[in-house]
């Protein structure tokens, strides 16, 4: 079976590129306090794009780089669809990338 790590690494890079393309990439990181949230997905201190950029991408990239166990399920795509519902942002590509990540993690 093909290793999951190169697939996930590619998908993470594509997710970053998509976030940049739709201008959801922040130049400045949030405060240490905001990143220290104990709430799931830092919902009390970060937007979903901020969480993806400053929490999800770095953690997943580190797991991939060290070939550590990856989560078997993420379910981030439905969260993104709900978060962006009713906005004018062109997020179809972004949610597609998140769905690709979800599906690849589920396949193992």
């Amino acid at each position: 079976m093909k290793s999951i790590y190169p697939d996930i690494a590619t998908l993470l890079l594509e997710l970053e590129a998509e976030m940049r393309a739709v201008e959801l990439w922040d130049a400045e990181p949030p405060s240490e306090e905001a990143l220290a949230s104990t709430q799931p997905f830092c919902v009390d201190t970060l937007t979903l794009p901020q969480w993806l950029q400053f929490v999800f991408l770095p953690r997943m990239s580190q797991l991939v780089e060290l070939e550590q166990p990856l989560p078997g399920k993420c379910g981030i795509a439905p969260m993104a669809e709900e978060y962006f519902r009713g906005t004018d942002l062109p997020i179809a590509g972004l949610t597609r990338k998140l769905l690709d990540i979800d599906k690849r993690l589920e396949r193992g």
Side-chain angles (χ1 to χ4, degrees):
M1 181 158 97
K2 183 178 174 189
S3 173
I4 189 173
Y5 297 105
D7 293 347
I8 294 296
T10 298
L11 289 169
L12 294 174
L13 289 172
E14 291 172 356
L15 175 60
E16 178 180 336
E18 190 62 37
M19 289 179 69
R20 288 178 184 273
V22 295
E23 299 180 4
L24 290 174
W25 195 260
D26 287 343
E28 297 294 322
S31 69
E32 288 297 318
E33 294 82 24
L35 290 169
S37 169
T38 58
Q39 296 294 311
F41 310 104
C42 300
V43 296
D44 58 335
T45 58
L46 301 178
T47 65
L48 180 64
Q50 288 175 318
W51 180 81
L52 288 169
Q53 179 180 349
F54 296 106
V55 178
F56 179 75
L57 283 169
R59 285 184 186 170
M60 289 296 289
S61 296
Q62 183 177 36
L63 292 175
V64 166
E65 184 178 323
L66 300 174
E67 294 192 1
Q68 295 293 306
L70 297 169
K73 192 167 191 138
C74 264
I76 298 174
M79 261 187 1
E81 289 171 358
E82 184 60 32
Y83 178 85
F84 291 111
R85 186 181 314 278
T87 69
D88 295 337
L89 292 171
I91 51 92
L94 176 71
T95 55
R96 191 174 322 107
K97 285 297 160 206
L98 291 170
L99 184 59
D100 290 345
I101 292 169
D102 288 346
K103 287 180 177 180
R104 185 61 182 100
L105 289 171
E106 286 176 18
R107 282 197 337 258

